[in-house]
Amino acid sequence: MFQHIIYEVNEGIGKITLDRPEVYNALNNQIKLELKQAFDQAREDSAVRAMILTGNGLAFCSGQDLKAAQTELADTTYSEAVRTYYNPLILAMRDLPKPIICQLNGLAAGAGCSLALACDMIIASDQASLSELFVGIGLVMDSGSTYFLPRMVGSLRAFELASTGRTVSAEEAVQIGLTNRVVEHDQLESTTYQIAKKFAQGPTKTIGMIKQMLNRSYEMSLAEVLDYEAQIQDEAAATEDHQEGIQAFLEKRKPKFKGK
């Protein structure tokens, strides 16, 4: 079904693996379309309650495939290419009402860095690194990095990283809030899986609401946030998982959430 990614579902966890290791998982138009299709498929699949995004080989994603771009950009503008291929993918990730964990196995550069930042959590290998490499070829950040980066690390550091394109090690990334956690490389897959499994066994409909609320909070006033919280709380209270949580508390047992 897919040419450049591997998509699999096990125990409620959907896993997408970028599979162009020979070019460090660089992004051509086909892989962008496949990523968007996979996230759309996960959205419609009730069996998927959490997602993992990772790369095959030494890198997570080295960004735009510059060689492929020579052909792909021949009859279009940069803005049209970004609006057609990158923007729908990033929006699909942020609008997905299920948590996405980036299993950062290696370098994430340029649009590959944007792809990582668009996830809800980033668990990094101690061999991983991130770089907003756009400036190195005379371009500005795209694919959402201008939105995500300052919200994660603050405006001063965001300007530094964007204007220099310097590489941020896994150790520095976790210190400045660019990732959630750094683990030894051979523990990366198991650690990420355990986190995803916990999400998949949790009240995932509610977690989706939390993601939605946090996304919208940046553009809302305090009064609007307070009203929105009250509105969404009614939706959360109407879920089966809320009723199960209350019942489990009263019966002094662990809840068995179904994501409903």
Side-chain angles (χ1 to χ4, degrees):
M1 182 178 181
F2 296 113
Q3 181 180 354
H4 295 314
I5 68 171
I6 300 169
Y7 179 55
E8 52 196 334
V9 179
N10 293 294
E11 298 184 311
I13 302 168
K15 184 176 182 180
I16 300 173
T17 304
L18 305 176
D19 194 30
R20 301 187 75 210
E22 69 282 359
V23 290
Y24 301 103
N25 299 318
L27 301 167
N28 61 11
N29 286 348
Q30 181 62 32
I31 195 171
K32 296 168 209 170
L33 291 173
E34 290 182 8
L35 283 167
K36 167 77 163 52
Q37 184 179 348
F39 280 115
D40 287 345
Q41 185 173 326
R43 183 186 186 96
E44 299 303 319
D45 189 351
S46 60
V48 176
R49 296 173 63 185
M51 296 291 297
I52 293 174
L53 177 64
T54 192
N56 188 13
L58 297 176
F60 170 71
C61 178
S62 58
Q64 173 64 43
D65 186 331
L66 296 179
K67 185 175 181 180
Q70 301 304 304
T71 301
E72 294 173 346
L73 291 172
D75 299 315
T76 188
T77 64
Y78 278 55
S79 63
E80 289 173 342
V82 168
R83 290 188 176 112
T84 300
Y85 294 100
Y86 281 115
N87 293 0
L89 167 58
I90 299 302
L91 288 173
M93 294 174 67
R94 294 314 307 155
D95 291 342
L96 183 70
K98 304 172 185 184
I100 305 171
I101 305 170
C102 176
Q103 181 179 303
L104 193 64
N105 57 298
L107 170 70
C113 184
S114 299
L115 200 61
L117 301 190
C119 296
D120 299 298
M121 292 185 69
I122 304 175
I123 309 301
S125 156
D126 57 5
Q127 298 177 17
S129 60
L130 302 101
S131 172
E132 294 287 7
L133 205 56
F134 299 92
V135 72
I137 54 172
L139 291 178
V140 299
M141 296 187 298
D142 62 29
S143 310
S145 270
T146 305
Y147 181 89
F148 299 120
L149 189 62
R151 285 166 169 77
M152 292 178 167
V153 302
S155 60
L156 294 177
R157 187 167 276 121
F159 176 79
E160 175 204 346
L161 298 180
S163 62
T164 66
R166 72 173 179 84
T167 299
V168 179
S169 68
E171 289 74 15
E172 181 185 2
V174 75
Q175 291 171 5
I176 65 176
L178 202 53
T179 63
N180 294 85
R181 191 181 307 178
V182 57
V183 299
E184 293 182 8
H185 188 74
D186 61 1
Q187 297 297 312
L188 178 64
E189 186 171 3
S190 61
T191 300
T192 307
Y193 175 77
Q194 289 303 318
I195 295 171
K197 185 177 180 180
K198 186 172 182 179
F199 277 132
Q201 294 176 343
T204 43
K205 191 170 184 179
T206 301
I207 293 170
M209 293 178 195
I210 291 170
K211 177 174 177 175
Q212 172 186 326
M213 292 168 71
L214 292 175
N215 282 342
R216 292 191 59 183
S217 70
Y218 288 114
E219 281 73 47
M220 301 169 76
S221 67
L222 174 59
E224 289 170 330
V225 167
L226 291 171
D227 185 67
Y228 187 50
E229 287 175 341
Q231 173 192 331
I232 300 300
Q233 196 67 286
D234 271 347
E235 295 182 24
T239 63
E240 292 181 21
D241 282 341
H242 171 60
Q243 300 304 317
E244 166 62 12
I246 294 295
Q247 195 64 32
F249 176 81
L250 295 174
E251 296 174 3
K252 298 181 179 180
R253 60 174 175 81
K254 186 177 179 180
K256 296 179 181 178
F257 295 122
K258 297 179 180 179
K260 297 181 179 179

